[in-house]
Amino acid sequence: MSRSLGRDVHIYDMSDPATVLGGLILTNGITNANFYSMVEIIFIFEKDYFLQDEGGRTIQRDDHLLQPGKYFILTNGSITVNNELWLVRTISVTSGTRLAAFRDAVRDRDRRCVITGRRVVSARGAWTGFEAAHIFPLAYERHWMEHNYGRWITIPPATESAGSINSVQNGMLLRADIHALFDSYTVSINPDDNHKIVCFRRDGKGIAGSHLDQQRFLDDPRRPVDQVLRWHFRQTVLANMRGAGEPVFETDFPPGSDMMGEIMEGPKAAERLEFEFFSRLAGVT
């Protein structure tokens, strides 16, 4: 499935108005200012720029809701597509001995899906339907270490051998269906807009445009640090808005199906196999 399917916002360079550079599926809560910040993630500008709609009206960086349509970039300098690495990620729930403390710390802090607000009815062992999600994926722990992302973490995991990537500050408790959307870069959180929930496909959950709870979550000193939320948001923008977007992977493999065969015949097979392999080992190595 293509992430560009169903886009109702399209981005062009005014100097080449026939070529679509990117776009998005418009959902609740996306403002003109949000759109500018997203454009500045997927493109690098040599000089100042501004956006016009197809009627020739200049779009201000304000809190008015973005409207569907064509948008044109006007600048006296060059426009370069950002080649920032996008890390292939698929829906997965990693388990293993290293993750027990991470899971328990996230459960103890949140006790609800932090995006939807749905509470765990009984937190005494009945966590069915709720999952402790890594914001930065555990399968890329080497990438985490190579770029020293551990410098963002101020609360180390209870088990020293677990590594800083397993800090409670890199985790959230999510409903299982929301976890799947988060891992597939369909839903993200913008920490630079009052921790707004942003959806990049049609919102069937009623969450787009809402915000993380200030009193019960954001005021908790153990909450996820903004740097990891910002990393995930950037990855989500790149996945959904740059060019035609990154592929959306099949994840439903019933027992007896040829999972390996389907992955090998699909897009980004090598990267996906590597992710699947490490996501299964990361919790026990």
Side-chain angles (χ1 to χ4, degrees), residues 37-44 82-87 149 152 185 188-192 200 226-242 246:
S37 67
M38 293 172 181
V39 166
E40 288 164 10
I41 289 174
I42 59 178
F43 302 115
I44 298 171
N82 184 2
N83 64 358
E84 184 175 333
L85 179 65
W86 178 72
L87 298 181
Y149 292 159
W152 299 334
Y185 299 113
S188 193
I189 298 162
N190 184 356
D192 298 311
F200 288 84
D226 283 346
Q227 291 92 330
V228 291
L229 293 172
R230 188 174 295 115
W231 176 88
H232 185 274
F233 183 71
R234 287 182 65 87
Q235 288 278 293
T236 304
V237 169
L238 292 170
N240 289 279
M241 293 183 61
R242 182 170 57 184
E246 299 293 344

Side-chain angles (χ1 to χ4, degrees), residues 172-219:
M172 299 184 296
L173 192 68
L174 298 176
R175 239 169 48 187
D177 57 336
I178 302 298
H179 187 185
L181 295 174
F182 188 83
D183 275 9
S184 63
Y185 299 113
T186 300
V187 169
S188 193
I189 298 162
N190 184 356
D192 298 311
D193 187 20
N194 197 23
H195 297 86
K196 181 187 289 181
I197 312 302
V198 185
C199 295
F200 288 84
R201 282 193 296 188
R202 303 299 175 202
D203 176 24
K205 310 293 183 181
I207 57 177
S210 61
H211 299 265
L212 296 187
D213 187 278
Q214 180 72 46
Q215 182 177 3
R216 296 177 179 175
F217 188 71
L218 294 179
D219 288 343

